[in-house]
Amino acid sequence: MEKLIITAALTGAELSRQENPNLPISPEEIAGEAKRCWDAGASIIHIHARQPDGTPTQDKEIYREIIQAIQQRSDAIVQVSTGGAVGMSPEERVQPVTLAPEMATLTTGSVNFGQGVFHNPPEMIRHFARKMIDCGVKPEIEVFDSGMIANALSLVKEGLLSHPLHFDFVLGVPGGMPGTPENLMFLRHLLPPDATWTMAGIGRAELPLAVMALVLGGHVRVGFEDNIYYSKGVLAQSNAQLVERVVRIAGELNRPVATPSEAREILSMGRS
Ligand code: KMH
Ligand code: ZN
């Protein structure tokens, strides 16, 4: 089996310090947390930016600060969000791609997201994909529902995405596909044979689906964006604590952890 790529999704757009006081918000805090996750075995850091008061933002300058601070401390692959927060405009969301980070997320369809709607209409997806081509950014295709895989395959035909594709199954968002073992088994059979995939289970689905991914040869994403608890009713102390647990279980299951350079190779990323 391939070495294991662990992604740490540190901050997200929805969470507040009221829910978990350990949430990293400022660029310094995010970079410090990224370093601790990288030390623990994460090779990809998925980032969202916040204003100093905690409001989610896609401000290019704040992303620039976060990326530089992470790169000063580690060789982790930085993956920026183009999802931002529900309600943001496409132009706001796509800003960090123009910084030419190594990776960015690309959600290939719309989905209800809690009480809101995460809008990703076809022309917007094409615009984001073109921007990623122009800036030399590797997309990670975010899959909240099965039709998003079919949409990604259509974009390959249009020349807007190219094989090998890398997917992230985000299962358990209220409004999206629930985080069940059956759904993971179903989705992975829809992928092209040379695709790679990561499992991001939301809330209580995070750990069991991560363990399934370890066994099935997939990769794993953990972090406060997806889950703030270590166990039922017990808040996680840090993102790194969640990464450390995956590394421990992966060791028991004979899945050595990939370094960032190894992850670049596994994901067929040009700039290793
Ligand atoms: N915050 C969600 C609405 C991504 O990073 O690309 C979307 C999201 C996905 O977080
Ligand atoms: Zn995100």
Side-chain angles (χ1 to χ4, degrees), residues 46 48 81 225:
H46 171 74
H48 284 251
S81 171
E225 176 165 347

Side-chain angles (χ1 to χ4, degrees), residues 56-59 81-96 117-121 124 127-128:
T57 177
Q58 291 291 96
D59 186 296
S81 171
T82 65
V86 162
M88 286 179 175
S89 73
E91 282 318 315
E92 182 174 7
R93 282 171 51 186
V94 83
Q95 288 179 75
V117 181
F118 183 28
H119 277 283
N120 296 289
M124 198 190 95
H127 173 52
F128 284 18

Side-chain angles (χ1 to χ4, degrees), residues 44-56:
I44 301 178
I45 306 294
H46 171 74
I47 55 171
H48 284 251
R50 301 289 185 101
Q51 300 283 1
D53 69 356
T55 310

Side-chain angles (χ1 to χ4, degrees), residues 13-14 46 48 81-86 105-107 113 118 142 144 221 225:
E14 289 78 26
H46 171 74
H48 284 251
S81 171
T82 65
V86 162
T105 56
L106 180 69
T107 301
F113 197 96
F118 183 28
E142 307 302 304
F144 294 76
R221 173 172 122 169
E225 176 165 347

